[in-house]
Amino acid sequence: MTKATEQRHILIADDDPGIRGLLCEVFDEEGYLTEPAEHGGEVLAKMTKKHPYDLLIMDVRMPGQDGLTILEQLRKNGITTPVIMMTAHGTSSTAIRAIQIGAYDYVIKPFDVEEVTLVVKRLFDHQQLASKVRELEAKSFDPRDKMIGNSPAMQEIYKQIGRVAHTDATVLITGETGTGKEVLANLIHVNSARRNGPMVKVNCAALPESLLESELFGHEKGAFTGAVAQRKGRFELAHKGSIFLDEIGEMTLATQKKLLRILQEREFERVGGTTTVRVDVRVIAATNRDLEADVRAGTFREDLYYRLNVITLHLPALRQRIGDIPLLAEFFLDKYRYAPSSPPARISEDAMERLNNYDWPGNVRQLEHEIERAVILARGSVITSEHMSLVPSSRSALQVDIAARLREKSTLDELLADVERLALQEALVQHDDDIKVAARSLGLSEADFQKRQKKYSS
Ligand SMILES: Nc1ncnc2c1ncn2[C@@H]1O[C@H](COP(=O)(O)OP(=O)(O)OP(=O)(O)O)[C@@H](O)[C@H]1O
Ligand SMILES: [Mg+2]
């Protein structure tokens, strides 16, 4: 954030009291906060990392350490404050040197005051522009706005975003935990006409009932003990933008009722208030619960469900789009570099096979954590299955469906063989691949265990 002009703090260092005083006076008048320093030692003492100032204007020639030495010392101390040097006429080599060691600009004495104020103004304008550019860059590269996946199911989601983003329709996003509901909500917002407005998030599960209401709708002064002033709620803060109601299935019936009114009429009263507040807000809600079942169970209002359900986007579980795993893995390898300058780690074939065969109960979030962890364990080099924490087969694969197998006319021997194979596998998983312990857990000798294992390895 760039500070407002009146808050900018300038340190002015010159041993000549005339110039020092003049500059302080001029910049004070321009609305800056100025402070004088008589010599280099004072500059070093005043300019610390804790208090770096916004600008230093410093004379080169000062008794004791000269300005250039002080500048060098400041940079060594890790202080990056811009510096404008003042040099005497005819010392271009000093001026060049000043720029080389990191001064922003210099002015040549004798100067008129206007020249100095111009340089200062230009500097702050530059800074503001640079921070704006950084802000924009950060926005366009925000990984939260990026959704990875080319599978037909995701293509369908992208199409739906294209159709609904620009409308003001309420959107309900469903999907298991970690499937990217928040990513999708962000994507809808940034692709809507409200993209320059606020995107306000509320996690309905994180707040107790009493707080949630005041958090959403705000409260008037004196509405309850501790309400010392009026406070705007998230709906008001989201005016002209979007509000993301996360984990909406966790709301109590009382709050659901208030929410219903907002969705219908776009108006509400603050807690403890009578004035009606109107807002222009697009609502995006998300849940990993089965709201229809909650409606049947009576814990979620049916009318609210239909209001939210205008457009429902359902994010598929990762195991339903395993074709996206390599793409996602690549994305996370790029995101979680071992060191900022290192190239992305690579994944061995066996490790990739592990990723592809896993059933991912935690979905993309789990994959993300798995990759982040594996990069560290592999020290940024090739990730093999040894660096993974995934249990190779899912629980569901450990079931032998006897009824189905009988219908398929499996023999008893075939069935028992499958049970045996799965038992050996599971014993290894439960005992960290320690054959001795795994064998013992099944009442077998180690040799017997290995013999049986061999039978199934071909
Ligand atoms: N398609 C995707 N592409 C890239 N990253 C993704 C994708 N989906 C999810 N992620 C990442 O996975 C993590 C979890 O995503 P997100 O928070 O959106 O999940 P969620 O569905 O809201 O989960 P929960 O129900 O637990 O809140 C985030 O770090 C997010 O950036
Ligand atoms: Mg979420």
Side-chain angles (χ1 to χ4, degrees):
M1 270 260 296
T2 338
K3 291 186 202 168
T5 313
E6 58 272 19
Q7 289 174 316
R8 287 207 175 103
H9 211 159
I10 307 180
L11 186 61
I12 295 169
D14 199 316
D15 57 317
D16 180 342
I19 293 186
R20 206 169 58 222
L22 174 72
L23 287 178
C24 282
E25 201 176 302
V26 167
F27 285 109
D28 277 342
E29 234 164 72
E30 295 260 325
Y32 299 95
L33 266 173
T34 61
E35 217 170 298
E38 287 184 37
H39 50 80
E42 201 180 337
V43 172
L44 287 179
K46 283 192 162 154
M47 238 183 190
T48 57
K49 268 199 167 158
K50 246 191 175 158
H51 191 184
Y53 294 80
D54 297 294
L55 171 65
L56 167 65
I57 304 178
M58 177 165 55
D59 190 21
V60 169
R61 212 164 342 148
M62 287 187 293
Q65 289 170 296
D66 70 14
L68 294 180
T69 316
I70 299 296
L71 175 54
E72 259 174 330
Q73 191 55 49
L74 286 174
R75 295 300 184 240
K76 264 189 213 146
N77 295 349
I79 293 163
T80 54
T81 304
V83 176
I84 295 173
M85 302 294 291
M86 299 179 278
T87 74
H89 185 62
T91 53
S92 65
S93 61
T94 321
I96 292 168
R97 174 100 186 96
I99 299 292
Q100 278 173 338
I101 56 179
Y104 171 77
D105 208 339
Y106 55 83
V107 287
I108 292 171
K109 281 180 172 176
F111 48 75
D112 38 66
V113 171
E114 216 168 306
E115 193 189 331
V116 188
T117 53
L118 258 180
V119 173
V120 170
K121 186 172 178 319
R122 203 181 63 215
L123 162 72
F124 285 136
D125 284 350
H126 266 174
Q127 270 188 340
Q128 209 158 0
L129 200 67
S131 87
K132 191 104 217 152
V133 168
R134 268 197 305 275
E135 214 175 276
L136 285 175
E137 274 175 359
K139 258 197 192 141
S140 52
F141 286 114
D142 191 341
R144 284 174 313 172
D145 295 340
K146 216 162 170 184
M147 238 183 168
I148 305 294
N150 277 335
S151 56
M154 291 309 286
Q155 298 284 2
E156 195 45 48
I157 296 273
Y158 303 150
K159 272 189 223 158
Q160 284 175 310
I161 297 175
R163 283 194 285 263
V164 307
H166 65 281
T167 72
D168 277 344
T170 300
V171 177
L172 176 65
I173 304 173
T174 60
E176 289 179 13
T177 179
T179 45
K181 295 185 291 297
E182 190 163 342
V183 181
L184 178 54
N186 276 317
L187 211 55
I188 292 173
H189 176 74
V190 300
N191 281 289
S192 76
R194 298 170 176 269
R195 73 178 68 89
N196 293 320
M199 167 64 162
V200 176
K201 289 173 195 170
V202 190
N203 185 341
C204 304
L207 293 162
E209 166 70 7
S210 53
L211 285 182
L212 181 62
E213 217 179 293
S214 114
E215 196 64 33
L216 286 175
F217 308 114
H219 59 70
E220 298 291 349
K221 186 176 170 182
F224 45 84
T225 331
V228 289
Q230 188 204 64
R231 184 160 171 258
K232 285 187 178 169
R234 305 280 177 105
F235 268 99
E236 266 181 278
L237 295 174
H239 188 53
K240 299 275 177 213
S242 314
I243 192 164
F244 177 47
L245 302 174
D246 203 3
E247 314 226 21
I248 195 153
E250 313 300 324
M251 254 182 202
T252 62
L253 286 163
T255 317
Q256 289 175 27
K257 191 171 168 195
K258 281 201 118 178
L259 185 62
L260 180 69
R261 180 164 161 230
I262 287 213
L263 294 184
Q264 282 168 338
E265 294 156 28
R266 305 283 147 176
E267 60 179 40
F268 58 91
E269 282 93 42
R270 299 189 193 98
V271 175
T274 48
T275 333
T276 303
V277 183
R278 290 197 65 83
V279 285
D280 170 17
V281 171
R282 201 260 179 92
V283 176
I284 305 172
T287 182
N288 52 26
R289 296 181 63 99
D290 179 356
L291 284 189
E292 225 166 308
D294 288 349
V295 168
R296 281 196 300 275
T299 52
F300 202 85
R301 290 180 70 108
E302 189 172 16
D303 45 8
L304 178 59
Y305 175 64
Y306 287 113
R307 272 279 156 187
L308 290 171
N309 203 12
V310 181
I311 291 160
T312 299
L313 297 182
H314 179 71
L315 280 171
L318 186 54
R319 65 185 159 282
Q320 289 161 344
R321 54 176 185 116
I322 51 172
D324 285 338
I325 289 176
L327 266 184
L328 282 162
E330 195 185 319
F331 175 70
F332 293 131
L333 287 171
D334 189 52
K335 179 171 172 188
Y336 296 105
R337 309 271 180 127
Y338 189 57
S341 59
S342 27
R346 283 172 301 124
I347 291 195
S348 75
E349 243 165 71
D350 67 319
M352 188 50 95
E353 202 179 323
R354 266 284 170 103
L355 296 182
N356 284 331
N357 288 325
Y358 187 64
D359 71 344
W360 300 108
N363 295 294
V364 183
R365 179 184 293 113
Q366 190 187 5
L367 175 63
E368 179 169 3
H369 289 162
E370 184 66 22
I371 301 263
E372 184 183 8
R373 206 176 139 270
V375 168
I376 295 167
L377 290 180
R379 295 168 179 271
S381 180
V382 181
I383 294 170
T384 67
S385 49
E386 274 161 41
H387 303 121
M388 307 217 138
S389 68
L390 305 174
V391 175
S393 63
S394 68
R395 300 266 140 191
S396 56
L398 285 172
Q399 312 273 337
V400 176
D401 185 339
I402 294 178
R405 297 291 296 271
L406 289 182
R407 277 193 295 275
E408 289 159 19
K409 311 230 173 329
S410 284
T411 65
L412 181 61
D413 275 347
E414 282 166 354
L415 260 176
L416 290 178
D418 275 352
V419 172
E420 186 178 10
R421 180 176 54 81
L422 292 176
L424 298 177
Q425 219 178 63
E426 177 65 9
L428 281 173
V429 166
Q430 288 188 10
H431 301 290
D432 284 331
D433 285 335
D434 187 328
I435 290 192
K436 209 182 252 168
V437 188
R440 204 182 314 136
S441 76
L442 289 173
L444 303 173
S445 71
E446 202 181 334
D448 195 357
F449 189 99
Q450 278 170 326
K451 202 174 88 199
R452 288 167 198 262
Q453 246 189 333
K454 236 185 223 141
K455 216 165 53 185
Y456 298 117
S457 63
S458 53

